Amino acid sequence: MEQVSDRNAGTADDDDTPMLSSHALEALREFLSEQNSSLTADNDGATVAEEDKVVALVTEDWRLSQFWYDRETAETVAREVHALYTSMDSPPSVACIACPTLYVYLKKMHHNLPVQLLEYDNRFKQYGSEFTFYDYNQPLELPSSMKHAFRIIIADPPYLSKECLEKVSETIYFLKQPGESYLLLLTGAVQQDRAAELLGLRPCGFRPQHSSKLGNEFRLFTNYDPGLRLGGWEQDQ
């Protein structure tokens, strides 16, 4: 099974490949064309450069079930990563596992921030030395220089399955520095108990969203108390 970027709309157990009608495909093409246009209108009808409002992304490849975060989600998580980064005495290293949307927004908003993108989709090789090919089916097949090298790790497992989260967790433990490290996991709400068991994570109040509206509920989990940011940790019911 191939790994995909950012988000699979279903689970690893889905058997049927969804088919779209020609009408639906045309509507999706129009949506992408509008999303990727070089200019966009603001609320007053004036035109402003797209780069001032939306970061340019490669087109989602739906054959790989790719769904990018919407702008609010990407900017919110990018601000959180930057807040963690600037709160530390010595600059930490940052790793993004299978979340290229976040990587692109981080570099757009804070271009000097050192971030390593671990990603299956080779289109992201354009980011040069900050790209590392990553297949979650081989969670430890990574350069030895990355072992215990990152203090901030953000992960978005490509499938909503126990096996996938377990393997991505192996990667996280390989990457994270001993001692205090900061973990952020964006995944389906169905993974809450597994996220707690495998990584000691708790859900935040902030709800991640995607540009293509998906049926599954997604959550953001952390291993640290974000305080007033990210809607705070949710209290146990």
Side-chain angles (χ1 to χ4, degrees):
M1 173 170 43
E2 284 191 333
Q3 185 206 353
V4 299
S5 308
D6 273 21
R7 182 54 47 221
N8 176 31
T11 71
D13 300 323
D14 289 342
D15 295 323
D16 298 325
T17 301
M19 300 296 293
L20 294 177
S21 68
S22 58
H23 177 77
L25 283 171
E26 183 58 30
L28 290 172
R29 290 191 190 100
E30 290 180 4
F31 170 78
L32 283 177
S33 177
E34 293 173 2
Q35 186 183 51
N36 294 327
S37 62
S38 61
L39 294 176
T40 185
D42 64 14
N43 292 333
D44 296 324
T47 56
V48 294
E50 181 189 18
E51 65 179 6
D52 292 335
K53 299 190 70 175
V54 180
V55 172
L57 302 169
V58 301
T59 303
E60 296 170 336
D61 187 341
W62 292 331
R63 294 171 301 177
L64 297 179
S65 298
Q66 289 179 337
F67 298 94
W68 303 150
Y69 306 137
D70 68 9
R71 182 165 61 95
E72 180 182 359
T73 295
E75 289 182 348
T76 297
V77 180
R79 285 194 297 269
E80 175 63 17
V81 172
H82 189 255
L84 292 173
Y85 182 86
T86 56
S87 70
M88 300 181 193
D89 294 334
S90 57
S93 295
V94 181
C96 289
I97 303 175
C99 45
T101 314
L102 177 59
Y103 170 85
V104 174
Y105 270 82
L106 272 170
K107 300 302 289 188
K108 174 67 176 180
M109 297 168 64
H110 311 289
H111 64 276
N112 290 324
L113 196 71
V115 186
Q116 190 70 31
L117 173 63
L118 286 69
E119 170 58 43
Y120 184 85
D121 189 341
N122 277 312
R123 287 182 297 171
F124 293 97
K125 280 184 176 179
Q126 64 181 291
Y127 300 123
S129 62
E130 291 193 331
F131 169 87
T132 298
F133 177 80
Y134 172 70
D135 182 348
Y136 84 89
N137 290 297
Q138 299 176 314
L140 303 181
E141 290 296 315
L142 293 167
S144 59
S145 59
M146 290 187 175
K147 188 172 184 178
H148 305 320
F150 298 91
R151 197 170 173 193
I152 301 174
I153 301 172
I154 313 94
D156 184 350
Y159 292 102
L160 305 182
S161 69
K162 178 181 179 182
E163 177 195 24
C164 184
L165 185 55
E166 287 176 343
K167 290 183 175 180
V168 171
S169 296
E170 287 185 59
T171 302
I172 290 173
Y173 281 111
F174 176 87
L175 295 173
K176 80 181 193 74
Q177 289 183 357
E180 188 177 37
S181 295
Y182 297 86
L183 309 179
L184 297 89
L185 177 73
L186 296 99
T187 189
V190 297
Q191 299 278 44
Q192 180 168 336
D193 291 342
R194 293 171 187 158
E197 177 184 353
L198 293 169
L199 296 164
L201 307 182
R202 292 178 56 179
C204 298
F206 177 73
R207 298 294 201 274
Q209 301 292 330
H210 298 78
S211 296
S212 301
K213 303 305 179 184
L214 306 181
N216 296 313
E217 179 187 1
F218 290 85
R219 303 300 304 272
L220 172 58
F221 303 89
T222 65
N223 71 332
Y224 64 94
D225 186 350
L228 298 178
R229 304 189 307 268
L230 302 176
W233 264 349
E234 286 200 342
Q235 299 302 311
D236 296 331
Q237 300 297 319

